[in-house]
């Protein structure tokens, strides 16, 4: 079973999440769908079911943990979200999206050094071609009062994805 990763832009607080699509399990697909919309706390049931069945490939299981982590994070359950993203990274250590999703939860938890390290790793894994990672990392730099680094990241995000208005808007609003 193969996993297809699709970058979905979800704007929660200041971060863009990257939900991960899975194939082969209705519950896992439903989990993905709920992670890409405005998820509520009750939306983790499909994720729980998909994980519990044990019929997912390693990559699909990683994606499902990451998707459940997005839902949990969006509902303020940051410790549980980070734990799910930890599992996703352990199962698929080459997933840039899993690192971005964990970094987003770390950012919300104000664990800036860890968030920065995860965004850096996502950028490294994507060979510098992951606009959302640069965009999200800019918020860590702003939180750390690193305005020049934040602007540089926003410029890179806008250059990588010139069609994403949010990146251009953020760049224009940054000192």
């Amino acid at each position: 079973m193969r996993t297809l990763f699709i970058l979905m832009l979800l704007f929660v607080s200041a971060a863009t999440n990257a939900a991960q699509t899975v194939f082969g399990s209705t519950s896992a697909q439903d989990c993905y769908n709920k992670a890409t919309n405005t998820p509520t706390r009750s939306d983790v049931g499909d994720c729980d079911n998909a994980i519990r069945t044990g019929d997912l490939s390693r990559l699909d299981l990683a994606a499902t943990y990451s998707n459940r982590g997005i839902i949990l994070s969006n509902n303020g359950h940051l410790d549980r979200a980070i734990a799910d993203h930890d599992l996703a990274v352990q199962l698929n250590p080459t997933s840039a999206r899993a690192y971005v999703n964990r970094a987003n939860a770390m950012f919300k938890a104000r664990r800036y050094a860890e968030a920065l390290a995860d965004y850096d790793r996502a950028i490294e894994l994507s060979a510098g071609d992951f606009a959302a990672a640069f965009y999200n990392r800019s918020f860590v730099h702003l939180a750390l009062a690193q305005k020049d680094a934040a602007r540089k990241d926003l410029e890179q995000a806008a250059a990588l994805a010139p069609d994403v208005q949010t990146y251009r808007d953020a760049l224009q609003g940054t000192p």
Side-chain angles (χ1 to χ4, degrees), residues 116-159:
L116 195 58
D118 275 357
Y119 289 131
D120 290 347
R121 182 68 178 136
I123 290 166
E124 178 185 326
L125 287 169
S126 70
D129 193 27
F130 196 173
F134 285 101
Y135 175 74
N136 291 358
R137 189 174 72 176
S138 74
F139 290 99
V140 176
H141 288 305
L142 286 174
L144 297 172
Q146 300 168 345
K147 292 180 184 177
D148 290 340
R151 182 161 190 72
K152 183 178 174 186
D153 278 349
L154 287 172
E155 287 171 351
Q156 186 63 27

Side-chain angles (χ1 to χ4, degrees), residues 2-10 16-23 29 32-33 35-37 59-60 63 66-67 70 92 95-98 100-101 130 132 167:
R2 74 185 224 275
T3 302
L4 173 65
F5 296 109
I6 298 174
L7 175 64
M8 298 298 296
L9 298 178
L10 298 172
T16 299
N17 290 302
Q20 300 181 46
T21 242
V22 290
F23 295 100
Q29 188 62 41
Y32 162 78
N33 291 335
T36 61
N37 296 309
L59 297 181
D60 285 344
S66 191
N67 289 335
I70 290 170
N92 187 2
S95 172
R97 285 165 179 79
V100 163
N101 291 334
F130 196 173
Y167 299 164

Side-chain angles (χ1 to χ4, degrees), residues 4 10 30 36 43 47 68 80-81 88 93 98-99 119 129 149-150 153 169 171:
L4 173 65
L10 298 172
D30 289 343
T36 61
D43 287 340
C47 304
R68 186 172 73 177
R80 289 185 57 209
Y99 280 96
Y119 289 131
D129 193 27
D153 278 349
D169 290 347
L171 183 59

